[in-house]
Every structure is written in structure tokens, then in C-alpha cells.
Amino acid sequence: MLLQRIWDLVLSQSSVMLSPFFPLIFSLLVYLTFCLPFLLLDLLASRCALVRSFKLQPQSSVSWTAVRSCLALTLYNHLVFIFPLTVLHWYLRPEHLPEEAPPLPRLLAQVLVCLLLFDFQSFVWHLLHHKVPWLYRNFHKVHHTYTSTSALTAEYSSAWETLSLGLFAAVSPELLGCHPLTKLTFFTLNIWLSVEDHCGYDLPWATHRLVPFGLYGGAPHHDLHHLKSKFNFAPYFTHWDRLAGTLYLQD
């Protein structure tokens, strides 16, 4: 019943949902909203020892030059590359909005499967772009401009990387035949986890502390990747790095 009420609310704004502008606005608005709390922490970190104690690299700080650079590249990639593709998709495959919401168990199961698929696809892509020097030099090196992660570095990447990861995120729900509400839930969660991965903080309520047995790496896992780029290629979970022998844990 709760999901149906939420979906009815979404349907009341169907003209917005079906607009070719919606994916762009949704992606940017959700991303920047999730980045904002961490930007405030960055602002406080230089003045507050308590906040600084949670930083993974306490000696580093985020400059306004870096913030402007990250924002500029994110907006450029979205407007120049992502937006034309979303318009093309809107034209060729218009979205259908069913009247009924999906059952909650199905939504949760499909979101988890989408996350696992995205994690695997990104792991393979990421590993290849580190193992093949030409791929790293021409496509992935941009993302490693900053060895100290911060929230806005999550989308500081080349157009090729942005489009590749965006494709992985879009394809999995399509393969599973997910309901539009499930897609929105997955996209929102995926953006949050990506931002949290790059936030540069090991907070007490972080996702990796909520998932047991070290199955989820989180910000410490990915921050180590930016420091030691030969390890920790999976974006979220740790099982692929364990199997590949590329898992590096902080001492």
C-alpha cells in the first residue's frame, strides 16, 4: 500500500516523468543533493578536530578550485554527452508508466540484483582500464586526478567513463524488466553509494559498517584504490577483489 501511494504520487507528475529532460535533471539534482552534506563536512573539517578525525586522509583538504573543476566537468559531461543520448532514448523507446506499483519484495530483490550486476560490470571495466595502459591513459586517468577523494570526485571522469558507467546502470534494470519505480530506486541508491564511496570520510553510520562480514568496502575501500591504484577495483562489494586477489585492506 505504501509503494502504491508513492507510485500514485509519481503518476500525478507523469508529464514531468515522461519528459526528455527528466533523466538529466533527476541525475544532477540527486547527485548534487547527496554531495552537499559531505561538502559541508569538508568546510568544517579544517576548523573542527572531531570532523577531521573521520577523514580517511586527514592531512588533505578540498579546495574551491577542485570543487569548481569537478562541477564544471560533471555539468559538461551531462549536457554534452548524456542529455543527447537520453533524448534519443526518449524518442526511440518512450517510457510506459503502469498504473500499479511493484510488490515491495520484488522491488528490493531487483534493486539488489541490479547493484550486484553493476558492481560486476564496473569491476571488469575498471580492472581492464588499469591493466591496459592505453585504456588508462586515454580514458580512466582523469578520474585519478585526485588521490584524496571527496564527494564531487565521484563524477570527475572522462566522457567515455561517464557514458560507460551510465550504460551499465541503465542496462541492468532493462534486462530484468524492472518497474519504473524500481529503476528510480536503483538509480537513487546507486548515486548515493557512488557519492559515499568518494566522500573521503569513514563515518559511524556509513554503509560499509552496516553490511556484515566485510562484504561491502565503502569509502575506505575506494579511498585506498585512489591511493594505491593496483587494488580495490570493485566499486561497492569486496567479493570480486577477493577472488581476483586485488583486495587491499587498511592496516
Side-chain angles (χ1 to χ4, degrees):
M1 290 297 293
L2 176 60
L3 284 187
Q4 189 60 52
R5 288 172 187 163
I6 294 171
W7 184 237
D8 287 341
L9 183 62
V10 172
L11 286 177
S12 69
Q13 303 298 322
S14 60
S15 59
V16 175
M17 283 279 296
L18 296 173
S19 164
F21 297 97
F22 176 76
L24 178 76
I25 295 170
F26 173 83
S27 175
L28 282 173
L29 186 61
V30 171
Y31 175 65
L32 294 175
T33 300
F34 286 157
C35 284
L36 185 57
F38 296 114
L39 290 174
L40 294 176
L41 286 180
D42 291 332
L43 193 62
L44 290 171
S46 60
R47 307 174 186 180
C48 178
L50 178 62
V51 174
R52 195 161 55 250
S53 69
F54 293 114
K55 277 184 69 69
L56 292 163
Q57 298 186 45
Q59 76 285 355
S60 68
S61 59
V62 179
S63 68
W64 288 111
T65 301
V67 169
R68 286 194 298 269
S69 180
C70 289
L71 283 173
L73 185 57
T74 298
L75 290 172
Y76 175 79
N77 284 338
H78 276 74
L79 292 172
V80 175
F81 297 103
I82 294 178
F83 180 58
L85 289 176
T86 58
V87 171
L88 182 63
H89 184 271
W90 167 82
Y91 179 76
L92 295 176
R93 295 193 63 184
E95 187 75 61
H96 170 66
L97 302 180
E99 291 295 324
E100 293 186 2
L104 181 59
R106 183 192 301 167
L107 181 146
L108 295 176
Q110 289 184 328
V111 166
L112 177 59
V113 172
C114 286
L115 277 178
L116 290 170
L117 285 172
F118 178 83
D119 191 68
F120 170 69
Q121 294 160 339
S122 300
F123 170 77
V124 174
W125 186 99
H126 199 179
L127 187 63
L128 282 174
H129 280 69
H130 275 268
K131 296 299 182 183
V132 180
W134 183 84
L135 290 175
Y136 180 84
R137 187 170 58 252
N138 289 281
F139 300 115
H140 188 51
K141 187 178 180 180
V142 174
H143 188 63
H144 280 270
T145 300
Y146 300 100
T147 55
S148 176
T149 55
S150 60
L152 284 172
T153 62
E155 293 195 8
Y156 191 82
S157 55
S158 67
W160 167 252
E161 182 164 352
T162 299
L163 292 173
S164 298
L165 298 180
L167 178 65
F168 297 154
V171 163
S172 297
E174 292 293 335
L175 290 175
L176 294 174
C178 291
H179 188 281
L181 184 59
T182 304
K183 293 179 186 178
L184 286 176
T185 305
F186 166 62
F187 294 150
T188 303
L189 180 60
N190 197 34
I191 294 171
W192 164 253
L193 294 178
S194 178
V195 169
E196 189 191 43
D197 249 16
H198 291 83
C199 72
Y201 292 90
D202 186 1
L203 298 168
W205 53 83
T207 306
H208 71 278
R209 294 183 176 276
L210 304 177
V211 178
F213 312 120
L215 295 174
Y216 187 90
H221 178 84
H222 196 69
D223 189 75
L224 282 169
H225 170 73
H226 278 259
L227 274 175
K228 306 174 183 289
S229 60
K230 296 180 180 179
F231 304 96
N232 297 358
F233 297 106
Y236 304 142
F237 301 98
T238 58
H239 55 279
W240 291 116
D241 279 304
R242 288 183 191 277
L243 290 170
T246 55
L247 182 64
Y248 185 94
L249 299 174
Q250 196 164 22
D251 298 332

